[in-house]
Amino acid sequence: MSHSKKLVFIVGSLRRGSFNRALADYAAEVVGKRAEVEYLEYADLPLMNEDIEFPAPAAVARVREQVESADGVWIFSPEYNFSYPAGLKNVLDWLSRPQVAGDFDAAVSLTDMPVAISGAGGKAANANVRRQLVELLEYVEASIVGGEGEGFVLPASAWQTGVYEIPEWDKTRIALQAEDLLAALP
């Protein structure tokens, strides 16, 4: 008996009205009933600090459990100063740490996990953050789906109104990316 597939979406922006949250919401629509989609809530995570690493704080344990129970992860991230947002880096740092003190050889939460990357932003389409995420995900031995993923240039209207109306071509690209990620799930 097969279980239904589960995806965890990690949105790099914590801002209400985030353009990348809008992109993730559209991706969730595309995935539809083919997989359960959960959003990772991580605003309450403490900053990664080895002094509090063991035992893991409750928020860290919750986030790890949610990711580890998933069949795949999709990261939607803006680019802040040519890099990933601090909150996203923090959650990825916690997900990349050993879960048993001194056991640096064991798998971590993202090891072998199929992970897709998307980002909506300025004219460079978040190329820097997507490249850096690939480097980080390769380091933790995640199974990256689609290389550097898909970058989306926000229309001028989004910056003016704060609303991201996703263009049809970009919707097609998200749909193709969803197909690739769903196909990569175990």
Side-chain angles (χ1 to χ4, degrees):
M1 179 176 199
S2 66
H3 72 288
S4 71
K5 300 297 182 182
K6 181 170 122 180
L7 294 173
V8 169
F9 283 10
I10 303 175
V11 180
S13 171
L14 298 174
R15 178 177 74 87
R16 283 187 310 256
S18 158
F19 299 135
N20 282 278
R21 177 63 186 240
L23 195 61
D25 288 345
Y26 181 73
E29 285 179 38
V30 169
V31 168
K33 295 183 189 230
R34 295 178 292 169
E36 176 187 352
V37 172
E38 293 181 357
Y39 287 84
L40 190 70
E41 300 298 332
Y42 61 91
D44 61 336
L45 285 183
L47 290 177
M48 174 52 216
N49 176 346
E50 290 180 0
D51 290 340
I52 62 169
E53 192 169 10
F54 301 105
V60 172
R62 182 197 78 240
V63 163
R64 284 178 175 162
E65 183 178 305
Q66 186 176 358
V67 169
E68 290 168 10
S69 71
D71 297 294
V73 170
W74 197 340
I75 299 173
F76 300 84
S77 183
E79 184 169 306
Y80 293 172
N81 296 319
F82 306 103
S83 190
Y84 19 63
L88 176 60
K89 177 69 165 76
N90 188 51
V91 73
L92 293 173
D93 285 344
W94 277 113
L95 291 171
S96 71
R97 298 295 297 169
Q99 296 183 27
V100 176
D103 187 355
F104 294 97
D105 294 324
V108 297
S109 299
L110 292 170
T111 300
D112 297 326
M113 178 72 66
V115 180
I117 302 167
S118 295
K123 64 184 175 184
N126 298 20
N128 292 309
V129 72
R130 290 184 293 111
R131 185 172 33 258
Q132 290 168 9
L133 283 169
V134 166
E135 290 173 2
L136 188 153
L137 293 167
E138 285 175 343
Y139 178 74
V140 298
E141 300 176 3
S143 178
I144 302 166
V145 178
E148 292 181 5
E150 292 289 339
F152 302 90
V153 177
L154 289 164
S157 62
W159 300 108
Q160 295 161 354
T161 64
V163 177
Y164 180 22
E165 297 289 339
I166 303 171
E168 289 304 314
W169 170 242
D170 291 348
K171 287 181 177 182
T172 300
R173 291 170 56 212
I174 279 290
L176 292 171
Q177 197 175 16
E179 295 304 319
D180 289 345
L181 180 56
L182 289 168
L185 300 181

